[in-house]
Every structure is written in structure tokens, then in C-alpha cells.
Amino acid sequence: MNRRLRVGVLIFLAAWLPYLIIGVYLATEVHLFFGDALSRVQSAQSVLFSRTPHLSAIGFVFTPLTAVVQLPLVALSPWWPEMTTHALSAVIMSSMFMAGSVVQISGIARDRGLDPVVAAVFTICYAANPMVVLYGANGMSEAPYLFFLAWASRRLIRWVSTDDVHELVVAGIALALSYLTRYDGGAAALAAGCVVGWVTYRRRDGRKRLSRSLVDITLVVAPSALAFLAWAATGWLITGNAFAQFTSEYGNAAIIAQSGGSGSSTTSEAIWFSITELAILAPLLPILVVGLIGVRARRHRLSPLLPGLMIVAVLAFQVFGYARGSTFGFLRFYMTVILLAAIVALMSVPLRRPIPMRRAGAHADPAPVRPYASRWGYTIACTVAIVVMASALPVTAMGMTSPKYAPQEFALGSVVNPQPDSVQQKYLDEQRVVRSFSTERALAEYLDGLALPDGSVLCDTVYGFAVVVQSERPRQFVIPSDRDFAQRLNAPADLGVRYFLTVPVEGRGVADAINQRYPTMYENGAQIGALVLEARNDGADLPDWRVYQIMR
């Protein structure tokens, strides 16, 4: 193992273990779960352990990579139930990917030849960001998304100087994987294609500019285009919807409509909200960007900054989507600005050694190395960049306590600083968020205790995913991905269904298959069920449950 690889492994372990420990603590001791993480675990569980296991049970509303990579871990759940009941498969997944993003940031610092101490400080400032820590530990898709964007960014930064085709190919693969993690990865791929086309077209050799540009654009965009077409075609062939995220009643557009909107009433209010979110995550980034562009412009060395436009495109896509009311104003949706701040900060420090390369391309344009630059100049550049990174830590930590700007994260305040005797409304709200999915866990334990045969409990996974995934007997449930779901919904008593899990016909409950088939089921059993259990929900923004026994 060479030194470079050994350093990368050590950095990975140094980041992964803390993320993993925090994640396991939150999942097993605090029982703090994020809905999207539980949902992805349930999707992976359905592929392997539903009544009718099949790969298409992974679902087509969201891109598949987050759930697919969990399959080997979920496969261990018969011997290690906590992999699904406590979503440990998601915790392991996110902690490893986030540690990988730390390695990539450290790699950019090492590529630029930064002093080891300076590189370590940069890496720690990124790795210790409160949002990075939380989303490295909670099993969400932000971790793999940041990793793939960081990987692609590092490769494109190297390619701008080296013209090494290997870097371009790897960047294209990373961007395709980012699309299979989050749909806005498509914006990153399009921006990368524009950057690559512009850089190639502007090379000093003017011959065959257009053809060379098209070739390079193809190399970086083709993997994402293939991922886009393959995923859309697969969804269309199996479900009839090529873009279920936008057209399905389970998709994001439907969720926003059922939830009463995205959160901002006007476009200007939405844009100002997005700007505030960005300021919470990277407060001093605009100052550094302006200064860096000014310095680079005087030296005619703006090209190495262009890969950052890929992340800018992702942020612009999010701001635009929220302004149009097509997505929620969650702080996590703006997390890529943390990655952008880290990259810009690193690029603001003078290059201290040549960019590493496998093989220089014909149009390599290596940036000038400045090992003898003024010591004070180098020190000042490092200090300014580190201040930009470090300033985000307290600002982000403070911003995460805001229910308005961090509705999914502010509850951590009651975990970090427990006050069991407090009666303040904010603390009570935090505790209610922490208790999310505790009622669903109790329902799963109740149903497990009945020792029911397979296919006895029918529920939709609009909300029911949290019950199914926390059960140790997932085969007792009939869920929409089962091939006979419609038949059992229409003739439950004849086909062995004993119980319905029901939610109110309001909000997202409108899309629940039981409510659509039996509109009065939750209220009175629709003349086919007898109420056996009602569970008031202890969590935030989650429905009260009623369990009906189907009459024969």
C-alpha cells in the first residue's frame, strides 16, 4: 500500500468511526429517525423480505442508489434485526459515504500540496461541520450525494490542468452515480458538460475545436444520460410512469400539494428564505468568492475555478425549485454549499506542487507552482480560507436550532442539551420531533406480538413504511409493492387479510390506497372492519392510527 493510499484510508477511518458511533447512538438509544432514511430501508427490505420479493419493489419515485447499496446489509436482518428495525443499514451507508466525501476534500488539499497541518485543519473544518456530522450519521441520501459531487469536483479540477482523459471518465461516472442518488444530480451533470465544453473549446490549439469539445462533453455527460434513460425506461416499463417523482401520487409534487404547499407564499419570500439557508451553511463564502475571482482574473487563471459551477448549478436548481413551490425549504437541500465553500477555500490557497496525473493530455495547461511565494502571502491566504471554513461551524450550529430554517434538525437541541423538566414550548416541540416514529414502532411491536401468518395486515406505505420497517416480521404485511396487493385490498376477507392499518383522509393520507378504496374506513370501518386499536401519534406531523379487524 503506497503512502497516498495509506493516508486516504486513515482519513476515512478517522471520519467514519465518529459518524458511525453517533449514528448508532441516535438510532438505538435516542430512537431519532428521519423519515426518508426509514423509507429507503423499507424499500430495501421489501426487495428481500416482503411476501413477494422482487427487485422492482425498491420503488421508482426516488432514485435507487441509496436503497440498492443497503441490500447487503439488509440481508443480514434475519440474524441482526436492528439492521432494519433501527435502520442501522442506513447509518452504516451514510457514515461511509460521508467519510468518503471527507477523503475527497482532503484529497483536493493534498493535490494542491498544502502543508499537512493546513490540509488537516481544512479537512477537520469540513468534517466537523454540524450538518455534515448529522447527515453522516442519520442514514439520509445527502451523504452519498455529497461524496459523488466531491469526487466529480476533484477529478474535474485535476482535468482542467492535466487534460488527462482518465479524470474526465471518472468524473462522468461520479456524476451518473450522483443522479442515481438524487434527481438534482442531473443539474450537476449538465453544468459539468458546459464547463468541459468551454474549457476544451478555449484550449490554445484552435484546430478541431468543435469536435474535441463534443468528444469531451460526451465523456462527462454520457454516463449521466445513460443513467437518466435507463431509470426512466425501467420505471415506465414496470409502472407506466417514466418520471414517477413528478407524476405519481407518491411523488414530490403530490406530497407538496397534500401538505399544503412548500412553505413560502411568494417568490420573493422563497428566494429570501433560500438566501438565508445558504448564509446559515456558508456565511462568509460570498466574500471569499469575490476576492478569489478578482485575484484569479488578474492572473488569467479562472479555468481551475470552473468546476465549482457544477455545484452552483445544483444550488441554483434548488433555489429555483423552492421559488416555484416544487420542493420543500429543508436546510439539507442546500448542503452542497458546504462542499462548495470547502472547494473554493482550498482553491484560494496558492498551489505548492504540480497537480498529480496519470498521463498528461495533449492540451495540458498546468497551473504555475509557487513554492517560493511570499511566506506571509501564503500564510494570509491559508488563514483567510480557514476562517471562512471555521466560521461556518458556530453559525451553522446556531442556525440548526431554528424551527423555521431547520425544521428537520432543530430537535437535536433536546438531544444535545436534555432538559427533562422544561415546559418551554420550543423544547416540547423538539421532543415531539425526537419521538417521531415511536408510535409506529409500538404498532410494529404490537402486531409482532400477535404472531400473525403471512399476509395478515394490509397497509399502504405512504405512512405505513415506518411500521413495516420496524417490524421483525415484515412478511405479515401486504404492501403496494406486492403483486397481489390490489386483489387483497378488494377482497381482504376472502384472501386472508385480518387487519387494516388506517390513517385519516387528510394531508398525505388522501393518497393512501385504503382510503381511496374505502373512503370511510378510518371513520367507521366501512362496514367491513371492527376497530380494535387506536393509537394517538406521539411524533410530529404524523397521523393517528386505527387498526381495524376485517369481519368475515
Side-chain angles (χ1 to χ4, degrees):
M1 184 182 296
N2 62 44
R3 182 181 180 277
R4 195 173 184 85
L5 180 59
R6 185 166 61 250
V7 170
V9 170
L10 291 175
I11 293 172
F12 174 84
L13 292 175
W16 176 50
L17 291 176
Y19 295 155
L20 179 64
I21 291 170
I22 293 171
V24 170
Y25 171 75
L26 292 177
T28 60
E29 297 298 324
V30 180
H31 300 296
L32 175 62
F33 301 106
F34 283 59
D36 284 358
L38 280 180
S39 178
R40 302 306 190 279
V41 177
Q42 191 271 320
S43 296
Q45 181 191 60
S46 297
V47 171
L48 299 175
F49 298 112
S50 62
R51 292 174 43 257
T52 57
H54 56 288
L55 186 58
S56 61
I58 207 162
F60 295 91
V61 173
F62 300 103
T63 44
L65 188 140
T66 309
V68 167
V69 297
Q70 293 184 59
L71 289 175
L73 297 169
V74 170
L76 301 175
S77 59
W79 304 278
W80 195 351
E82 290 80 8
M83 280 292 176
T84 54
T85 60
H86 290 77
L88 290 187
S89 64
V91 170
I92 295 171
M93 178 276 300
S94 65
S95 61
M96 294 184 72
F97 274 116
M98 195 62 87
S101 77
V102 174
V103 171
Q104 294 303 320
I105 292 299
S106 173
I108 295 174
R110 286 180 281 127
D111 289 346
R112 299 188 62 77
L114 267 62
D115 179 91
V117 174
V118 175
V121 173
F122 267 111
T123 304
I124 291 171
C125 286
Y126 171 81
N129 185 288
M131 285 290 285
V132 171
V133 173
L134 175 60
Y135 283 88
N138 66 5
M140 297 283 277
S141 62
E142 275 64 30
Y145 190 54
L146 283 180
F147 167 71
F148 291 126
L149 287 183
W151 188 18
S153 298
R154 182 184 179 190
R155 294 296 177 170
L156 284 181
I157 289 170
R158 291 168 64 159
W159 171 81
V160 167
S161 294
T162 66
D163 192 33
D164 186 346
V165 69
H166 298 91
E167 309 291 0
L168 210 54
V169 170
V170 174
I173 293 171
L175 288 169
L177 293 173
S178 79
Y179 174 78
L180 292 176
T181 304
R182 289 264 296 270
Y183 282 110
D184 39 356
L190 289 175
C194 293
V195 167
V196 168
W198 174 257
V199 172
T200 301
Y201 190 81
R202 297 287 294 177
R203 299 286 191 194
R204 286 174 297 186
D205 184 357
R207 294 171 300 171
K208 300 181 179 179
R209 278 183 169 183
L210 184 59
S211 60
R212 287 191 293 105
S213 297
L214 291 175
V215 169
D216 285 352
I217 291 172
T218 300
L219 285 175
V220 77
V221 173
S224 295
L226 177 62
F228 171 82
L229 293 174
W231 182 241
T234 303
W236 178 73
L237 288 171
I238 294 177
T239 69
N241 287 327
F243 305 103
Q245 168 75 348
F246 309 103
T247 59
S248 168
E249 60 188 8
Y250 299 103
N252 211 46
I255 291 173
I256 291 173
Q258 294 156 7
S259 301
S262 62
S264 294
S265 56
T266 65
T267 300
S268 59
E269 181 184 343
I271 292 175
W272 180 252
F273 182 92
S274 296
I275 292 173
T276 304
E277 299 276 65
L278 294 171
I280 288 173
L281 297 172
L284 298 182
L285 177 60
I287 298 174
L288 183 61
V289 169
V290 171
L292 181 58
I293 290 177
V295 172
R296 291 273 184 168
R298 287 201 305 270
R299 295 173 181 168
H300 305 287
R301 295 297 305 178
L302 285 173
S303 294
L305 301 181
L306 293 178
L309 294 178
M310 181 175 63
I311 304 174
V312 172
V314 172
L315 293 169
F317 180 83
Q318 172 57 35
V319 172
F320 176 75
Y322 184 63
R324 292 199 59 188
S326 59
T327 186
F328 289 104
F330 293 149
L331 188 61
R332 62 186 176 92
F333 288 164
Y334 301 87
M335 271 188 67
T336 48
V337 76
I338 300 174
L339 176 62
L340 178 63
I343 292 173
V344 171
L346 288 169
M347 297 299 291
S348 68
V349 179
L351 189 68
R352 308 295 283 179
R353 72 180 179 198
I355 295 291
M357 66 187 79
R358 288 189 177 183
R359 184 183 63 199
H363 304 282
D365 183 22
V369 178
R370 303 175 62 208
Y372 304 110
S374 166
R375 179 178 179 83
W376 282 109
Y378 179 75
T379 302
I380 291 173
C382 290
T383 302
V384 170
I386 289 173
V387 167
V388 169
M389 290 289 292
S391 66
L393 302 184
V395 174
T396 300
M398 183 63 67
M400 288 172 66
T401 65
S402 168
K404 177 180 179 180
Y405 294 108
Q408 295 185 302
E409 296 85 14
F410 81 100
L412 284 175
S414 64
V415 177
V416 176
N417 182 29
Q419 304 173 42
D421 298 327
S422 176
V423 293
Q424 293 183 2
Q425 188 59 48
K426 183 173 183 293
Y427 184 81
L428 296 177
D429 291 342
E430 291 172 352
Q431 280 291 288
R432 187 167 174 79
V433 173
V434 171
R435 290 195 300 269
S436 293
F437 306 113
S438 61
T439 301
E440 287 74 11
R441 182 167 60 253
L443 267 177
E445 293 172 353
Y446 165 77
L447 294 170
D448 288 351
L450 298 179
L452 298 169
D454 292 353
S456 295
V457 183
L458 188 144
C459 69
D460 199 332
T461 49
V462 170
Y463 285 112
F465 69 89
V467 179
V468 177
V469 76
Q470 295 183 97
S471 168
E472 294 187 15
R473 305 184 68 249
R475 291 178 61 87
Q476 69 184 312
F477 295 96
V478 181
I479 56 178
S481 61
D482 291 339
R483 294 189 174 94
D484 59 352
F485 178 79
Q487 293 91 327
R488 289 181 178 249
L489 178 63
N490 288 321
D494 296 338
L495 297 178
V497 176
R498 297 187 185 181
Y499 298 95
F500 275 2
L501 286 183
T502 67
V503 296
V505 191
E506 58 188 33
R508 293 187 63 192
V510 172
D512 188 283
I514 295 175
N515 288 334
Q516 292 190 351
R517 177 63 179 84
Y518 305 100
T520 63
M521 189 73 210
Y522 182 81
E523 293 299 327
N524 55 31
Q527 299 182 346
I528 65 169
L531 182 65
V532 296
L533 179 68
E534 182 170 11
R536 295 283 183 179
N537 212 303
D538 293 330
D541 302 320
L542 292 169
D544 297 332
W545 291 89
R546 288 180 180 175
V547 181
Y548 281 93
Q549 185 172 8
I550 303 303
M551 297 182 292
R552 297 182 180 277

